[in-house]
Amino acid sequence: MDLKELAANALAQNKKAALLVGAAGAALLGFGLGYKYMRKPEKAVRVGVVSQILIHPLKSGKAVPVSVAECQKMGLKSGELEDRHWLVVTEEGNMVTARQEPRLVLVSLSCRGGHAYLNGPDMEELKFPVKQPDNPILNCRVFSKDIQGRDCGDKASHWLTSYFGDEKTFRLVHFEPDMKPRRPAESEPLFPKFEVAYPDYGPVMLLSEASVKDLSSKLDQEVTTERFRPSIVIGDCEPFDEDSWEEIQIGSLRLQRVMSCGRCIMTTVDPETGMMSRKEPLETLKSYRLCKPSEKHLYKKAPLFGQLHTVKKTGILHVGDEVYKITR
């Protein structure tokens, strides 16, 4: 075969390939457009209103109610406060929560002007800088997961150790923006790959006022939403409506439900007194809020109360914002 024939064959093959590629591209474009128009349109149904926004800067510490907050991928933020970005640890770096030290629920941590402030019953307020770059970074453990925290110094350590009155030494650590967050449930295939600092599981926990009132009606003594440590409290809905909201919109914020919140002994700590009863309201919750048999591998014997969400689209939320359930 001479050079002319080779050139002619090559040209023919290139034209054929170009036609095939063009046809494939057109087919893909057609499929994409078809899929776009075949998808069911979203429908937004009003289901309630935001009645409370609660930030817990210190894990197991006192809630800070705010009227407006930014919801980031790792949870709520208001000014210098970020949800569960501070943690009490032992000298070995193991987390300390109200499960071990119930009076931790009475400790408040606030931030303003680049300083953090610790307050607690019968304790003088402690002020210290939020940023302490010369302090060591500690390796900590939160539910068997490794995570770092910047040590907040000896003064904070002495304050906490004195407050708890134990022979053990406690330290305070702060999660900084350049630290690696943890994936709390990466071993569980049902979870998306979201990341958090020091929360137990998800970045946002949502609970309705009606669900708390329903529980209170079954108890000898009423309980408040603060006992269950939600991020967002919803009003103007029926008890446990939040269980069915797979995806919700609040202003520009979009949240995706991950799972129900399985409850533990911490619900028996009174947020007003710091006393742990070890019984109620946990026992009553167990009487009517256990999971389906098919979900026991996930929740075991924990009663379900509130819903854990991941942040699908970040945004700003305000008390009074309407909440919409997204359906397709």
Side-chain angles (χ1 to χ4, degrees):
M1 187 178 292
D2 58 23
L3 289 175
K4 287 183 179 180
E5 290 176 324
L6 285 171
N9 285 339
L11 183 60
Q13 291 294 329
N14 285 341
K15 286 182 177 179
K16 186 177 180 182
L19 286 170
L20 287 171
V21 169
L28 285 171
L29 178 61
F31 177 78
L33 289 172
Y35 176 73
K36 177 181 178 182
Y37 291 106
M38 284 171 59
R39 282 187 304 171
K40 292 182 178 179
E42 287 187 347
K43 183 180 179 182
V45 180
R46 186 189 182 280
V47 291
V49 64
V50 176
S51 61
Q52 283 182 283
I53 303 171
L54 300 172
I55 295 181
H56 300 80
L58 174 64
K59 185 174 180 65
S60 278
K62 203 173 185 69
V64 179
V66 296
S67 59
V68 58
E70 178 184 359
C71 192
Q72 303 178 328
K73 287 291 185 182
M74 290 176 60
L76 297 183
K77 182 178 188 296
S78 179
E80 298 177 64
L81 293 178
E82 294 185 84
D83 193 71
R84 293 168 174 91
H85 271 52
W86 304 78
L87 176 70
V88 178
V89 296
T90 63
E91 283 190 296
E92 296 75 29
N94 294 316
M95 74 168 184
V96 176
T97 72
R99 298 172 184 86
Q100 299 86 31
E101 298 290 342
R103 292 177 67 244
L104 184 53
V105 300
L106 304 178
V107 176
S108 66
L109 188 147
S110 58
C111 297
R112 56 185 182 275
H115 286 84
Y117 298 81
L118 275 176
N119 281 280
D122 303 318
M123 298 290 293
E124 288 189 13
E125 180 178 77
L126 177 70
K127 173 184 175 182
F128 57 93
V130 171
K131 295 181 180 179
Q132 302 188 66
D134 295 332
N135 286 4
I137 293 175
L138 304 184
N139 293 316
C140 308
R141 300 280 286 177
V142 176
F143 290 110
S144 75
K145 298 286 184 180
D146 294 322
I147 190 167
Q148 293 180 325
R150 176 79 67 180
D151 186 80
C152 294
D154 289 340
K155 287 184 179 180
S157 175
H158 293 155
W159 192 98
L160 288 167
T161 302
S162 175
Y163 174 72
F164 291 122
D166 292 338
E167 295 181 0
K168 296 178 289 185
T169 298
F170 299 92
R171 302 200 73 85
L172 181 68
V173 297
H174 179 217
F175 184 84
E176 298 178 335
D178 59 346
M179 292 178 177
K180 184 180 179 181
R182 46 184 264 277
R183 286 179 175 167
E186 59 188 357
S187 61
E188 172 54 62
L190 295 179
F191 282 79
K193 295 293 184 180
F194 61 80
E195 296 178 320
V196 293
Y198 302 137
D200 287 6
Y201 292 105
V204 174
M205 203 278 277
L206 186 143
L207 181 64
S208 74
E209 290 178 342
S211 297
V212 177
K213 288 179 180 177
D214 181 85
L215 172 61
S216 287
S217 70
K218 297 173 171 58
L219 299 169
D220 293 334
Q221 186 173 354
E222 289 187 355
V223 291
T224 62
T225 54
E226 286 78 10
R227 182 180 289 250
F228 305 99
R229 313 184 67 77
S231 312
I232 304 171
V233 182
I234 307 299
D236 196 21
C237 65
E238 295 300 314
F240 309 110
D241 274 0
E242 65 269 29
D243 295 359
S244 63
W245 303 339
E246 292 300 323
E247 191 171 335
I248 60 172
Q249 184 91 22
I250 307 173
S252 61
L253 172 65
R254 182 71 67 96
L255 298 176
Q256 179 74 53
R257 179 184 174 275
V258 178
M259 63 182 294
S260 298
C261 186
R263 295 302 181 165
C264 68
I265 197 72
M266 262 197 67
T267 59
T268 70
V269 179
D270 188 329
E272 298 300 321
T273 65
M275 300 293 290
M276 179 186 283
S277 71
R278 308 193 72 87
K279 291 184 178 180
E280 292 295 359
L282 189 60
E283 292 301 316
T284 297
L285 281 172
K286 286 180 179 179
S287 71
Y288 78 117
R289 288 293 296 171
L290 293 178
C291 68
K292 300 173 184 176
S294 60
E295 296 175 324
K296 279 192 175 180
H297 69 287
L298 191 58
Y299 301 110
K300 299 178 174 61
K301 295 181 179 180
L304 311 181
F305 201 66
Q307 298 297 319
L308 296 167
H309 286 252
T310 188
V311 182
K312 194 170 183 179
K313 183 183 178 184
T314 60
I316 307 294
L317 71 155
H318 308 75
V319 170
D321 280 350
E322 292 188 322
V323 181
Y324 292 89
K325 178 175 70 173
I326 304 300
T327 60
R328 291 179 178 85

